[in-house]
Amino acid sequence: MNVTSSDGATTFSSSSIGNFLSPGLSCSVSRKGNEDGESCNTSKGKLFQTGQIWSFYSGNDDLPLYYGRIHKITVTQVFEEEAEIKMCVHLLKANSFPENVIQWEDKNMPVGCGTFSVTKCFRKFTTDNVSLQIVPQTSMNGNEYIILPKIGDVWAIYRSWTCHKEFKDIGSCTYDIVKVLDDTSDYKVLALEPALLTNEEEEKKTFFKAAESRHPDCDDEDGSEVIFTIPMSKMLRFSHQIPASRVTKKIDGELRELFEVDPRALPTNVRVSRPLSKGEVREG
């Protein structure tokens, strides 16, 4: 680990050991702990460490459609200002698929699941670029990573999937949000829909619940039920995983299982327009 200091700025860098907690993502938790007179609980922040795999945002689509492995982390702090974390990330590239998997005709289309290898191509990111830490299966030689939908995961899927989609149209694609129920052979999933809560504090968060019905434009092969199956041959229908945590909330007097999700990772067509709080002004 290297430490340099110049003009009041202190820089820490690590390419092999050590980890860093993102202060920008944990500061609200830390302040809450201080106000309550308790010790700061920084474990709820995002912990960055070399060798980790993360999904990240890139391009005009503004969705976390890509994966990378952290190679080096640099933390810079000027006096008492909040520390800035920068990461050198090697991009992952999807390997060839088995013959039974229908592949994209446009090879520029992003791939959300499959087997990936680390490339020599790298980019520099801040904590604003990353979405979700991925814990993949690793090959015996450690050079390949298997990323697949797992039971309990929340994913965005292409609503009407076809292998003819083109990368230039990625920004206009429509999606559905699903929870993975079974990944034994094919993928059994449950459709989710936004849950609007009336509590003023909860309105600032984004929740999804089990859908009561499917969207009228859903894929005909899915059927009309909220639980349906995506065959392994169409695994590329899974676009990207949504950061989500399972919570229990009371809706209409009944306790319901909900998912609190990161709204930034939601495609435009499923983003929730919540009511404005008193005195709040909508941006734009």
Side-chain angles (χ1 to χ4, degrees):
M1 176 176 289
N2 301 321
V3 181
T4 61
S5 180
S6 175
D7 298 329
T10 302
T11 300
F12 305 86
S13 66
S14 171
S15 59
S16 58
I17 60 173
N19 51 59
F20 299 92
L21 184 70
S22 168
L25 293 168
S26 63
C27 61
S28 61
V29 176
S30 299
R31 284 197 296 268
K32 183 177 186 299
N34 290 335
E35 291 168 359
D36 293 342
E38 301 172 355
S39 59
C40 299
N41 182 10
T42 55
S43 63
K44 293 183 179 180
K46 289 184 178 179
L47 185 67
F48 297 102
Q49 187 173 11
T50 54
Q52 289 177 337
I53 306 295
W54 285 77
S55 60
F56 63 88
Y57 298 89
S58 180
N60 297 329
D61 46 75
D62 198 31
L63 292 173
L65 304 178
Y66 308 93
Y67 300 114
R69 186 177 71 180
I70 298 177
H71 173 68
K72 183 178 180 180
I73 303 172
T74 301
V75 181
T76 302
Q77 186 164 20
V78 180
F79 295 109
E80 299 300 323
E81 294 182 7
E82 187 175 282
E84 180 182 20
I85 296 177
K86 292 184 179 180
M87 294 168 281
C88 176
V89 176
H90 283 271
L91 307 185
L92 300 191
K93 180 180 180 180
N95 295 352
S96 299
F97 286 90
E99 292 184 359
N100 63 330
V101 175
I102 303 173
Q103 302 184 40
W104 295 120
E105 291 185 358
D106 184 351
K107 301 307 179 184
N108 291 320
M109 282 291 291
V111 174
C113 53
T115 301
F116 297 80
S117 297
V118 180
T119 69
K120 294 182 179 180
C121 180
F122 71 90
R123 295 183 185 176
K124 292 183 178 180
F125 292 139
T126 67
T127 56
D128 291 335
N129 298 115
V130 298
S131 173
L132 180 68
Q133 183 185 352
I134 306 297
V135 183
Q137 301 177 41
T138 307
S139 63
M140 293 295 291
N141 60 15
N143 295 326
E144 295 181 339
Y145 299 94
I146 301 172
I147 301 174
L148 297 172
K150 295 179 292 188
I151 294 175
D153 286 351
V154 175
W155 280 72
I157 64 170
Y158 295 99
R159 176 169 293 166
S160 298
W161 188 83
T162 169
C163 64
H164 306 302
K165 290 184 181 295
E166 297 182 349
F167 179 71
K168 65 181 180 65
D169 300 323
I170 193 73
S172 59
C173 290
T174 55
Y175 302 80
D176 288 313
I177 307 301
V178 299
K179 171 189 174 183
V180 180
L181 300 178
D182 189 7
D183 59 1
T184 306
S185 53
D186 295 324
Y187 295 102
K188 181 184 291 186
V189 299
L190 168 67
L192 303 179
E193 64 183 12
L196 299 178
L197 304 184
T198 56
N199 181 286
E200 184 172 320
E201 185 64 28
E202 302 293 4
E203 286 178 357
K204 299 177 182 179
K205 303 176 182 179
T206 302
F207 296 95
F208 273 70
K209 63 179 181 179
E212 297 180 2
S213 62
R214 294 293 308 283
H215 192 279
D217 295 333
C218 66
D219 196 310
D220 292 337
E221 293 185 9
D222 295 342
S224 59
E225 300 298 322
V226 295
I227 295 178
F228 57 99
T229 299
I230 298 176
M232 189 69 68
S233 61
K234 294 185 177 181
M235 62 187 300
L236 292 185
R237 187 176 176 185
F238 286 91
S239 170
H240 60 281
Q241 189 175 349
I242 306 291
S245 57
R246 188 170 61 182
V247 297
T248 302
K249 298 289 183 181
K250 184 174 289 188
I251 300 180
D252 298 329
E254 295 184 6
L255 290 177
R256 298 282 299 274
E257 178 186 85
L258 304 179
F259 290 92
E260 182 180 350
V261 305
D262 178 2
R264 185 183 175 190
L266 293 175
T268 303
N269 73 289
V270 295
R271 289 181 181 173
V272 181
S273 296
R274 63 175 178 82
L276 293 178
S277 301
K278 184 177 180 180
E280 184 180 6
V281 178
R282 192 180 302 279
E283 296 181 359

